[in-house]
Amino acid sequence: MIEWSREKRYRKIEEAKKEEIFELNKKVKECPFRQMYHIQPPTGLLNDPNGFSFYNGKYQLFYQWFPLGPVHGLKYWYHTSSTDLVNWENHGIGIEPGDWFDSHGAFSGSGIVDNDKLYLFYTGNTRDENWNRVPYQCLAIMDKENNIVKHKEPIISTIPEGYTDHFRDPKVFKVNGEFYLVVGIQNNEFKGRIVYYKSKDLINWEYRGEVKTSLDNFGFMWECPDYLELDNKGVIIFSPQGLDKEGDKYANIYQSGYIVGEKLDLNTGEFNHGEFVELDNGFDFYAPQTTEDPDGRRILIGWMGLPEIDYPTDKNGWAHCLTLPRELKLNKDRLIQTPIKELEKLRSNHRSLNEKIEATEKSFDEFHGEQYELNCEIKDFESGKLGLKLRVSENEETVISYDIDNNKLTIDRSKSGEEFALEWGTTRSVDITCKTLKLRIFVDTSSIEVFINDGEKVLTSRIFPSKESRGIKFFATKKCSISADIWSINEK
Ligand code: FRU
């Protein structure tokens, strides 16, 4: 972990000297791992997506940002917008911390449109002289010129009775003309929970109590809750901290997942639901947020990173990126996640293949690259293992393998390039049973997102290979047929 003193971490941008900013920009520029088509911070650290919404004819998206280095310091909201969810325009600082109610950071939150304005709810993080945390739930209002004005005081100033000061990440939504906020919280028994509030005018909020789930002992804190309805069912997404690893499940330091049930009863807070399911089974995924767009699509974006882990880009003065946007649908009680269709705009230079392979590992002339989309369908297999290797060179490879006999798909980044987070292991696996294996893979300079079988499961991971690692190989211990398409993305 890069050691930064408290004084250094809790500085505003203007407190940094010109030379420091110059050096920081230079280091970022020299980094070989800058992404080509993912949202990443200009400098410093990005974490959660915030305020994801559609306003003024554009998707509006913010993210948690500490500008001055790859550490969790004084958090700003950085603002970006897009008409197509693919090309993003950077607007710089959205919400700037520093008032009495957000002196130690403008923490995560969400947005909703009302009265032709974008209402942004966030957690004002403050610390008193003894460094005790005092959280406030705050409001800032954006107009069509992107001017963001903070409400003069917090909209929720007290922690509800029975809970600790871990109280953050308001997500706003509207049901039957009334507004609600769900907020992550920890109770006095140190268990993660969600509480909710109700409002008619987005300014005055009435405390309604706890969202009553059947997950009593399920981690010490639930961050970034989200509530949405799909096909007349209710879905709660949240990021629990403190779950122990169970087989292949909960393998990362913290988790993000969902529970599906009947619609949340907004009078009683009752939520009858099924089991908790992780949203992503890769190495680097946390604190996602959704929005509904004008076409009625429910779109999710996550942080492609995790707290408390060092990443290879730290030494270049920046860390993390956001995931690609995914469309959510419900199939029975499981979320199906597919890359939004607009991503096809990124495609260029199409190549394809149709091959049968048997007990071999093979590369194909036109199949290689550093940033690309690769779709493949593998079938006619009976047993053994098969899969593909990406970002391959003599010493590096990222392996996706399907163990047909054990119905397990694994991503192995042990030889992906620069090593990191080794204490959390170098493989992630997920149960997949199928006769045809469909993989839709997005590779960027330092990431890989694998959508399995039309979005049944997703594996998202950072990898840090060298530029020369551009090979793609298919392999099978027995036999299979492969059809594949590849498109370069942004490649010269
Ligand atoms: C999740 C989180 C949120 C908090 C924010 C601070 O990653 O810890 O709970 O609001 O990050 O940056």
PDB file of all heavy atoms in Angstrom, residues 47-48 64 72 75 107-108 168-169 223-224 286-287 303 307, ligand 1:
ATOM      1  N   ASN A  47     -13.308   5.437  -7.925  1.00  0.00           N
ATOM      2  CA  ASN A  47     -14.025   4.252  -7.448  1.00  0.00           C
ATOM      3  C   ASN A  47     -15.481   4.286  -7.891  1.00  0.00           C
ATOM      4  O   ASN A  47     -15.694   4.366  -9.111  1.00  0.00           O
ATOM      5  CB  ASN A  47     -13.763   3.926  -5.964  1.00  0.00           C
ATOM      6  CG  ASN A  47     -14.052   4.996  -4.951  1.00  0.00           C
ATOM      7  OD1 ASN A  47     -13.526   6.084  -5.024  1.00  0.00           O
ATOM      8  ND2 ASN A  47     -14.871   4.679  -3.981  1.00  0.00           N
ATOM      9  N   ASP A  48     -16.440   4.197  -7.030  1.00  0.00           N
ATOM     10  CA  ASP A  48     -17.826   3.918  -7.430  1.00  0.00           C
ATOM     11  C   ASP A  48     -18.401   4.844  -8.509  1.00  0.00           C
ATOM     12  O   ASP A  48     -18.203   6.060  -8.446  1.00  0.00           O
ATOM     13  CB  ASP A  48     -18.772   4.074  -6.231  1.00  0.00           C
ATOM     14  CG  ASP A  48     -18.236   3.487  -4.952  1.00  0.00           C
ATOM     15  OD1 ASP A  48     -17.213   2.802  -4.989  1.00  0.00           O
ATOM     16  OD2 ASP A  48     -18.862   3.729  -3.910  1.00  0.00           O
ATOM     17  N   GLN A  64     -16.639   8.505  -8.095  1.00  0.00           N
ATOM     18  CA  GLN A  64     -15.841   8.875  -6.937  1.00  0.00           C
ATOM     19  C   GLN A  64     -14.414   9.120  -7.404  1.00  0.00           C
ATOM     20  O   GLN A  64     -13.834   8.281  -8.102  1.00  0.00           O
ATOM     21  CB  GLN A  64     -15.851   7.731  -5.913  1.00  0.00           C
ATOM     22  CG  GLN A  64     -17.147   7.607  -5.153  1.00  0.00           C
ATOM     23  CD  GLN A  64     -17.283   8.695  -4.110  1.00  0.00           C
ATOM     24  OE1 GLN A  64     -16.668   8.632  -3.068  1.00  0.00           O
ATOM     25  NE2 GLN A  64     -18.095   9.692  -4.399  1.00  0.00           N
ATOM     26  N   HIS A  72      -7.300   6.361  -1.451  1.00  0.00           N
ATOM     27  CA  HIS A  72      -8.629   6.847  -1.067  1.00  0.00           C
ATOM     28  C   HIS A  72      -8.471   8.068  -0.168  1.00  0.00           C
ATOM     29  O   HIS A  72      -8.290   7.955   1.032  1.00  0.00           O
ATOM     30  CB  HIS A  72      -9.419   5.742  -0.370  1.00  0.00           C
ATOM     31  CG  HIS A  72      -9.802   4.643  -1.304  1.00  0.00           C
ATOM     32  ND1 HIS A  72     -10.998   4.626  -1.993  1.00  0.00           N
ATOM     33  CD2 HIS A  72      -9.126   3.543  -1.709  1.00  0.00           C
ATOM     34  CE1 HIS A  72     -11.056   3.564  -2.760  1.00  0.00           C
ATOM     35  NE2 HIS A  72      -9.925   2.882  -2.615  1.00  0.00           N
ATOM     36  N   LYS A  75     -12.652  12.687  -1.374  1.00  0.00           N
ATOM     37  CA  LYS A  75     -13.363  12.292  -2.598  1.00  0.00           C
ATOM     38  C   LYS A  75     -14.217  13.417  -3.188  1.00  0.00           C
ATOM     39  O   LYS A  75     -14.987  14.073  -2.500  1.00  0.00           O
ATOM     40  CB  LYS A  75     -14.261  11.087  -2.323  1.00  0.00           C
ATOM     41  CG  LYS A  75     -13.516   9.813  -1.962  1.00  0.00           C
ATOM     42  CD  LYS A  75     -12.789   9.188  -3.121  1.00  0.00           C
ATOM     43  CE  LYS A  75     -11.885   8.051  -2.712  1.00  0.00           C
ATOM     44  NZ  LYS A  75     -12.566   6.858  -2.271  1.00  0.00           N
ATOM     45  N   PHE A 107     -19.102  11.544  -0.759  1.00  0.00           N
ATOM     46  CA  PHE A 107     -19.136  10.099  -0.999  1.00  0.00           C
ATOM     47  C   PHE A 107     -20.274   9.712  -1.952  1.00  0.00           C
ATOM     48  O   PHE A 107     -21.013  10.558  -2.432  1.00  0.00           O
ATOM     49  CB  PHE A 107     -19.257   9.362   0.342  1.00  0.00           C
ATOM     50  CG  PHE A 107     -17.928   9.128   1.035  1.00  0.00           C
ATOM     51  CD1 PHE A 107     -16.775   9.771   0.616  1.00  0.00           C
ATOM     52  CD2 PHE A 107     -17.841   8.245   2.117  1.00  0.00           C
ATOM     53  CE1 PHE A 107     -15.559   9.543   1.251  1.00  0.00           C
ATOM     54  CE2 PHE A 107     -16.626   8.009   2.754  1.00  0.00           C
ATOM     55  CZ  PHE A 107     -15.488   8.646   2.331  1.00  0.00           C
ATOM     56  N   SER A 108     -20.425   8.422  -2.155  1.00  0.00           N
ATOM     57  CA  SER A 108     -21.294   7.926  -3.223  1.00  0.00           C
ATOM     58  C   SER A 108     -22.760   8.290  -3.071  1.00  0.00           C
ATOM     59  O   SER A 108     -23.261   8.492  -1.970  1.00  0.00           O
ATOM     60  CB  SER A 108     -21.169   6.406  -3.316  1.00  0.00           C
ATOM     61  OG  SER A 108     -19.959   6.107  -3.945  1.00  0.00           O
ATOM     62  N   ARG A 168     -24.319   5.412   4.588  1.00  0.00           N
ATOM     63  CA  ARG A 168     -23.933   6.114   3.352  1.00  0.00           C
ATOM     64  C   ARG A 168     -24.548   5.523   2.081  1.00  0.00           C
ATOM     65  O   ARG A 168     -25.113   4.455   2.083  1.00  0.00           O
ATOM     66  CB  ARG A 168     -22.410   6.115   3.213  1.00  0.00           C
ATOM     67  CG  ARG A 168     -21.765   4.745   3.257  1.00  0.00           C
ATOM     68  CD  ARG A 168     -20.236   4.856   3.098  1.00  0.00           C
ATOM     69  NE  ARG A 168     -19.591   3.575   3.373  1.00  0.00           N
ATOM     70  CZ  ARG A 168     -19.140   3.197   4.569  1.00  0.00           C
ATOM     71  NH1 ARG A 168     -19.247   4.000   5.616  1.00  0.00           N
ATOM     72  NH2 ARG A 168     -18.584   2.000   4.737  1.00  0.00           N
ATOM     73  N   ASP A 169     -24.336   6.247   0.989  1.00  0.00           N
ATOM     74  CA  ASP A 169     -24.652   5.828  -0.375  1.00  0.00           C
ATOM     75  C   ASP A 169     -26.152   5.840  -0.693  1.00  0.00           C
ATOM     76  O   ASP A 169     -26.745   4.824  -1.068  1.00  0.00           O
ATOM     77  CB  ASP A 169     -24.068   4.428  -0.678  1.00  0.00           C
ATOM     78  CG  ASP A 169     -22.609   4.297  -0.288  1.00  0.00           C
ATOM     79  OD1 ASP A 169     -21.927   5.341  -0.233  1.00  0.00           O
ATOM     80  OD2 ASP A 169     -22.141   3.176  -0.025  1.00  0.00           O
ATOM     81  N   GLU A 223     -22.778  -1.718   1.458  1.00  0.00           N
ATOM     82  CA  GLU A 223     -22.554  -0.450   0.772  1.00  0.00           C
ATOM     83  C   GLU A 223     -23.387  -0.399  -0.509  1.00  0.00           C
ATOM     84  O   GLU A 223     -23.788  -1.421  -1.059  1.00  0.00           O
ATOM     85  CB  GLU A 223     -21.056  -0.299   0.437  1.00  0.00           C
ATOM     86  CG  GLU A 223     -20.186  -0.204   1.701  1.00  0.00           C
ATOM     87  CD  GLU A 223     -18.746   0.196   1.419  1.00  0.00           C
ATOM     88  OE1 GLU A 223     -18.127  -0.380   0.510  1.00  0.00           O
ATOM     89  OE2 GLU A 223     -18.225   1.086   2.115  1.00  0.00           O
ATOM     90  N   CYS A 224     -23.578   0.813  -0.971  1.00  0.00           N
ATOM     91  CA  CYS A 224     -24.180   1.072  -2.276  1.00  0.00           C
ATOM     92  C   CYS A 224     -25.431   0.249  -2.600  1.00  0.00           C
ATOM     93  O   CYS A 224     -25.463  -0.477  -3.595  1.00  0.00           O
ATOM     94  CB  CYS A 224     -23.130   0.870  -3.378  1.00  0.00           C
ATOM     95  SG  CYS A 224     -21.702   1.928  -3.164  1.00  0.00           S
ATOM     96  N   TYR A 286     -17.086  -4.039  -8.099  1.00  0.00           N
ATOM     97  CA  TYR A 286     -17.651  -3.595  -6.827  1.00  0.00           C
ATOM     98  C   TYR A 286     -18.562  -2.383  -7.041  1.00  0.00           C
ATOM     99  O   TYR A 286     -18.447  -1.669  -8.048  1.00  0.00           O
ATOM    100  CB  TYR A 286     -16.515  -3.226  -5.850  1.00  0.00           C
ATOM    101  CG  TYR A 286     -16.969  -3.129  -4.411  1.00  0.00           C
ATOM    102  CD1 TYR A 286     -17.472  -4.238  -3.746  1.00  0.00           C
ATOM    103  CD2 TYR A 286     -16.918  -1.921  -3.733  1.00  0.00           C
ATOM    104  CE1 TYR A 286     -17.903  -4.143  -2.430  1.00  0.00           C
ATOM    105  CE2 TYR A 286     -17.355  -1.820  -2.413  1.00  0.00           C
ATOM    106  CZ  TYR A 286     -17.848  -2.933  -1.772  1.00  0.00           C
ATOM    107  OH  TYR A 286     -18.278  -2.838  -0.473  1.00  0.00           O
ATOM    108  N   ALA A 287     -19.454  -2.178  -6.078  1.00  0.00           N
ATOM    109  CA  ALA A 287     -20.256  -0.955  -5.952  1.00  0.00           C
ATOM    110  C   ALA A 287     -20.960  -0.515  -7.239  1.00  0.00           C
ATOM    111  O   ALA A 287     -20.878   0.648  -7.634  1.00  0.00           O
ATOM    112  CB  ALA A 287     -19.359   0.188  -5.442  1.00  0.00           C
ATOM    113  N   TRP A 303     -17.772  -0.437 -10.620  1.00  0.00           N
ATOM    114  CA  TRP A 303     -16.356  -0.062 -10.424  1.00  0.00           C
ATOM    115  C   TRP A 303     -15.529  -1.306 -10.724  1.00  0.00           C
ATOM    116  O   TRP A 303     -15.751  -2.353 -10.128  1.00  0.00           O
ATOM    117  CB  TRP A 303     -16.171   0.409  -8.983  1.00  0.00           C
ATOM    118  CG  TRP A 303     -14.742   0.594  -8.530  1.00  0.00           C
ATOM    119  CD1 TRP A 303     -13.643   0.827  -9.305  1.00  0.00           C
ATOM    120  CD2 TRP A 303     -14.264   0.557  -7.179  1.00  0.00           C
ATOM    121  NE1 TRP A 303     -12.515   0.948  -8.523  1.00  0.00           N
ATOM    122  CE2 TRP A 303     -12.866   0.787  -7.215  1.00  0.00           C
ATOM    123  CE3 TRP A 303     -14.886   0.358  -5.939  1.00  0.00           C
ATOM    124  CZ2 TRP A 303     -12.075   0.812  -6.064  1.00  0.00           C
ATOM    125  CZ3 TRP A 303     -14.098   0.397  -4.785  1.00  0.00           C
ATOM    126  CH2 TRP A 303     -12.708   0.628  -4.857  1.00  0.00           C
ATOM    127  N   PRO A 307     -11.751  -2.088  -2.948  1.00  0.00           N
ATOM    128  CA  PRO A 307     -11.042  -1.328  -1.910  1.00  0.00           C
ATOM    129  C   PRO A 307      -9.873  -2.136  -1.340  1.00  0.00           C
ATOM    130  O   PRO A 307      -9.863  -3.376  -1.427  1.00  0.00           O
ATOM    131  CB  PRO A 307     -12.101  -1.136  -0.817  1.00  0.00           C
ATOM    132  CG  PRO A 307     -13.412  -1.505  -1.416  1.00  0.00           C
ATOM    133  CD  PRO A 307     -13.105  -2.455  -2.527  1.00  0.00           C
TER     134      PRO A 307
HETATM  135  C1  FRU B   1     -17.742   1.942  -1.806  1.00  0.00           C
HETATM  136  C2  FRU B   1     -17.540   3.140  -0.894  1.00  0.00           C
HETATM  137  C3  FRU B   1     -18.869   3.779  -0.521  1.00  0.00           C
HETATM  138  C4  FRU B   1     -18.476   5.184  -0.213  1.00  0.00           C
HETATM  139  C5  FRU B   1     -17.395   5.444  -1.233  1.00  0.00           C
HETATM  140  C6  FRU B   1     -16.305   6.354  -0.783  1.00  0.00           C
HETATM  141  O1  FRU B   1     -16.616   1.660  -2.554  1.00  0.00           O
HETATM  142  O2  FRU B   1     -16.823   2.781   0.256  1.00  0.00           O
HETATM  143  O3  FRU B   1     -19.540   3.127   0.527  1.00  0.00           O
HETATM  144  O4  FRU B   1     -19.543   6.083  -0.346  1.00  0.00           O
HETATM  145  O5  FRU B   1     -16.856   4.188  -1.556  1.00  0.00           O
HETATM  146  O6  FRU B   1     -15.441   6.654  -1.828  1.00  0.00           O
END
